[in-house]
Amino acid sequence: MRMELYQEIIKFIGPPNHTTGSTLKDASVRFGCQYNTILAVYFQQVQKRLKRLSYHHSDTHAKVEHLKFYETQNDGRKEFVYEMAIKIGIPPVMLSKLLIELLGITKNQTPTQLLRDINAIEDECLRQQVSYCLENDDQFGPNIDLIKKSIGDDYECILKDKLTFMNISFKDENVLRTQGYDKTPDILLTVPIAVNNYVINWIESKASFGDDSTHKQYLREQYWSYWNRFGSGLVIYWFGFIDELADQTSEKGIIIMDCMPSKVTTIV
């Protein structure tokens, strides 16, 4: 996908807090892209928005205002925190996490741990309110994290099955960690392969869309570390990527594709 098309899609789907399912389907038809690609682009915009919101609502003044509103307006209904979050414009689970912190009920557990084990929240009213938020928030929280992890694991399995079918020997990150590696790619090839005249020593699987800011972050935090330790490699963005990104890194030894290529050459 060219950058120009990507920008048109972003403009069409609009702010993620106002985007509807029908808008995403319309974008898929209008721009001739697979629906899963449009969905991946949308969720990336959601994540960017969540980062901005998290920063803004972590401000001391904002925290004081949120706590004051909760303590003075709370009517005890299980929907209260959810409705409060919608009113101030942040994901309900994000607000739940913030309130858990502000109310000082964490004891020996972090707010994140309490979100994963709400039965440990002793205040029954708050527990029911947090539970309602967890059930109804479709953008943020441990339930969403589990879904994303599950999708990521599924695509790693697809990659491993393809490599096995192609008789390409490899070690996965679990094996590499037992051998003492800290930062590891998803796949380290036992014998390098050649793809489009590029030597591939490792493969990283990303069940997401590769946009400019996300790719740059991954380069800093992961890919260059793999390159320094293992040499050149392949990154697979299963839901597509901005074409210009491939041009920026391929000559430096990191190539980008949206699937595992069928035609490879084993380097002996």
Side-chain angles (χ1 to χ4, degrees):
M1 179 186 297
R2 302 301 295 180
M3 174 65 82
E4 183 179 356
L5 175 58
Y6 171 75
Q7 291 173 338
E8 289 180 12
I9 292 172
I10 295 299
K11 183 177 180 180
F12 181 83
I13 64 179
N17 54 321
H18 296 300
T19 304
T20 65
S22 61
T23 302
L24 299 178
K25 291 178 182 177
D26 290 344
S28 177
V29 174
R30 179 184 179 113
F31 298 106
C33 299
Q34 293 186 357
Y35 179 72
N36 283 344
T37 296
I38 298 296
L39 198 61
V41 170
Y42 162 72
F43 275 114
Q44 239 166 21
Q45 296 305 304
V46 169
Q47 292 305 309
K48 291 176 182 178
R49 175 175 178 268
L50 292 180
K51 287 182 180 179
R52 293 193 297 269
L53 288 174
S54 178
Y55 177 80
H56 174 74
H57 290 279
S58 295
D59 175 79
T60 301
H61 176 73
K63 285 183 176 181
V64 170
E65 290 299 313
H66 295 337
L67 181 59
K68 179 181 178 181
F69 186 89
Y70 179 80
E71 291 181 329
T72 59
Q73 303 297 320
N74 185 8
D75 57 14
R77 292 180 302 112
K78 64 179 182 180
E79 300 89 355
F80 177 78
V81 173
Y82 181 88
E83 293 171 355
M84 176 182 169
I86 300 302
K87 183 175 181 179
I88 62 180
I90 66 173
V93 176
M94 183 181 288
L95 178 59
S96 297
K97 181 179 179 181
L98 187 60
L99 289 173
I100 289 172
E101 174 191 343
L102 295 174
L103 291 168
I105 62 170
T106 54
K107 293 186 177 180
N108 296 324
Q109 293 181 283
T110 65
T112 299
Q113 290 172 327
L114 287 174
L115 286 176
R116 292 172 179 160
D117 180 22
I118 61 172
N119 290 325
I121 300 176
E122 296 179 358
D123 186 311
E124 182 178 356
C125 176
L126 180 61
R127 183 170 65 250
Q128 291 180 354
Q129 291 170 337
V130 171
S131 176
Y132 187 84
C133 290
L134 287 166
E135 292 171 3
N136 291 279
D137 194 331
D138 62 357
Q139 294 188 351
F140 182 82
N143 294 341
I144 303 303
D145 292 340
L146 286 174
I147 293 172
K148 290 193 291 186
K149 184 180 184 305
S150 176
I151 294 173
D153 290 345
D154 286 346
Y155 276 90
E156 281 189 35
C157 287
I158 291 172
L159 174 59
K160 291 176 185 178
D161 289 345
K162 182 71 178 288
L163 292 171
T164 300
F165 178 78
M166 297 170 70
N167 292 317
I168 297 175
S169 179
F170 64 88
K171 298 176 183 179
D172 64 20
E173 58 185 336
N174 296 321
V175 173
L176 292 172
R177 283 171 183 162
T178 64
Q179 296 178 347
Y181 293 103
D182 48 2
K183 281 192 174 183
T184 64
D186 294 319
I187 298 293
L188 179 64
L189 302 178
T190 305
V191 177
I193 61 175
V195 175
N196 298 337
N197 296 321
Y198 293 101
V199 176
I200 304 301
N201 296 283
W202 53 268
I203 305 173
E204 182 73 8
S205 171
K206 295 296 184 187
S208 60
F209 181 86
D211 72 349
D212 185 57
S213 60
T214 303
H215 185 62
K216 286 180 179 178
Q217 181 178 348
Y218 282 139
L219 281 169
R220 291 193 306 269
E221 298 178 356
Q222 294 180 305
Y223 304 158
W224 288 128
S225 295
Y226 305 158
W227 182 85
N228 285 327
R229 176 165 289 181
F230 303 113
S232 53
L234 166 65
V235 176
I236 300 176
Y237 288 111
W238 292 97
F239 299 129
F241 57 90
I242 296 174
D243 296 341
E244 287 85 345
L245 298 180
D247 300 333
Q248 295 171 12
T249 58
S250 58
E251 293 303 322
K252 298 177 182 178
I254 297 176
I255 68 171
I256 307 172
M257 305 187 81
D258 60 7
C259 65
M260 180 63 204
S262 298
K263 294 183 180 180
V264 303
T265 302
T266 302
I267 301 176
V268 180

